[in-house]
Amino acid sequence: MSVLLVFLATQRPSTIPRSSVTLAEQQAASQPTDRLMQQKSLRVRDALIEEEERPYQVWKEEGSRPLRINLDLLTHRARVLVQRGDRKGAAATYKRCMQLEPQDGRAWLGLSQLRRRQGREEEAARLLQGGLRVDPANPYLLQAWGTLQERRGFQDEALASYSRAVKAQPRHAASWVACGLLLAKRRRLDASAQCLRIACLVAPQSYYVWQVSGRQVARFRACCHVLPCSVSLK
């Protein structure tokens, strides 16, 4: 009972204003509603907790595949944790994705990239290989494997991996760019230019693609200008 109701109970009926009685009745009647609204408010607050306060929960029934949207959310969560510097949490999240859906190559790739940043190259390579075993036509995994082979000095293997990537997904601009840059290193300038032109066609809004292509064109033109000068001087 509120203080107001206690006060009203001690007063003679003639001294109690009708407005006070009405207010007391309204307050008494509203108390259950207020409690209900408070409970609902708490449930809404719990439902709106920010992602940093509660990790994503992904459920999977026995013998069934998880919903794609759940895997999308979980993969996004892992990337957010990487950006925040929580590598342990990110690794655990990627592993959870792999457990829920081993054929989703994004988790294999994400964990591999994380391990490479940590200097664990061999583990990164094993993860890429594992991802390609379950998802052999994934252009992102193929491009990453090609990049790894290129860093190791195996250019033929890298070109083969880039070729498989663009064959699997002709609109995968990153693979066209990687292939173009490697061909430029091998002095196959015409083939390199063709790869970069295709990258610009399939990703016309990509700043990275245009930036790389512009640099390569500038170098090619510089070579075309410098080479005749060097020949004449020789």
Side-chain angles (χ1 to χ4, degrees):
M1 186 178 294
S2 68
V3 175
L4 178 59
L5 289 177
V6 173
F7 170 76
L8 293 175
T10 62
Q11 304 302 306
R12 295 192 304 275
S14 60
T15 63
I16 301 175
R18 182 59 194 166
S19 61
S20 297
V21 175
T22 303
L23 177 61
E25 291 173 346
Q26 290 175 347
Q27 287 187 340
S30 68
Q31 283 182 359
T33 303
D34 289 343
R35 285 195 296 270
L36 182 61
M37 290 300 295
Q38 185 178 16
Q39 291 172 358
K40 288 183 177 180
S41 177
L42 289 173
R43 286 199 295 269
V44 170
R45 187 200 65 183
D46 289 342
L48 296 177
I49 288 178
E50 302 253 338
E51 63 179 11
E52 45 269 34
E53 295 180 46
R54 181 172 63 191
Y56 288 114
Q57 298 288 334
V58 180
W59 301 101
K60 177 183 178 182
E61 295 182 1
E62 189 69 26
S64 66
R65 301 181 68 178
L67 294 175
R68 176 76 179 188
I69 183 62
N70 287 340
L71 292 172
D72 292 344
L73 290 172
L74 204 58
T75 303
H76 172 72
R77 172 69 177 172
R79 288 197 294 266
V80 170
L81 291 173
V82 170
Q83 292 170 358
R84 292 176 182 169
D86 185 0
R87 294 181 174 180
K88 184 177 180 180
T93 306
Y94 280 131
K95 289 177 181 178
R96 176 66 171 151
C97 291
M98 293 157 64
Q99 178 187 11
L100 289 166
E101 180 52 276
Q103 293 183 342
D104 190 335
R106 293 174 299 176
W108 294 91
L109 177 61
L111 187 55
S112 174
Q113 291 172 335
L114 179 61
R115 293 309 188 213
R116 184 174 63 81
R117 294 190 193 103
Q118 294 174 314
R120 297 159 66 171
E121 284 280 343
E122 292 304 319
E123 185 177 354
R126 286 195 298 271
L127 285 164
L128 289 178
Q129 289 174 316
L132 286 169
R133 277 195 295 271
V134 298
D135 193 3
N138 187 307
Y140 299 92
L141 288 169
L142 288 167
Q143 190 247 328
W145 180 252
T147 301
L148 177 63
Q149 296 302 312
E150 189 174 345
R151 283 201 308 271
R152 291 175 167 179
F154 304 131
Q155 293 188 354
D156 290 340
E157 290 82 352
L159 279 175
S161 190
Y162 297 148
S163 297
R164 287 173 59 197
V166 297
K167 183 178 180 180
Q169 177 49 268
R171 301 190 66 83
H172 192 245
S175 294
W176 286 111
V177 169
C179 190
L181 292 177
L182 181 52
L183 288 170
K185 289 180 184 177
R186 303 183 76 167
R187 299 294 188 268
R188 295 172 58 182
L189 299 181
D190 288 342
S192 171
Q194 184 177 0
C195 287
L196 294 175
R197 279 197 297 271
I198 295 174
C200 291
L201 288 174
V202 300
Q205 303 300 319
S206 172
Y207 171 80
Y208 169 74
V209 168
W210 285 104
Q211 184 187 46
V212 172
S213 299
R215 283 203 304 263
Q216 290 304 117
V217 169
R219 289 173 182 169
F220 179 73
R221 289 177 177 173
C223 289
C224 290
H225 173 70
V226 171
L227 185 59
C229 294
S230 62
V231 170
S232 63
L233 290 172
K234 187 69 173 179

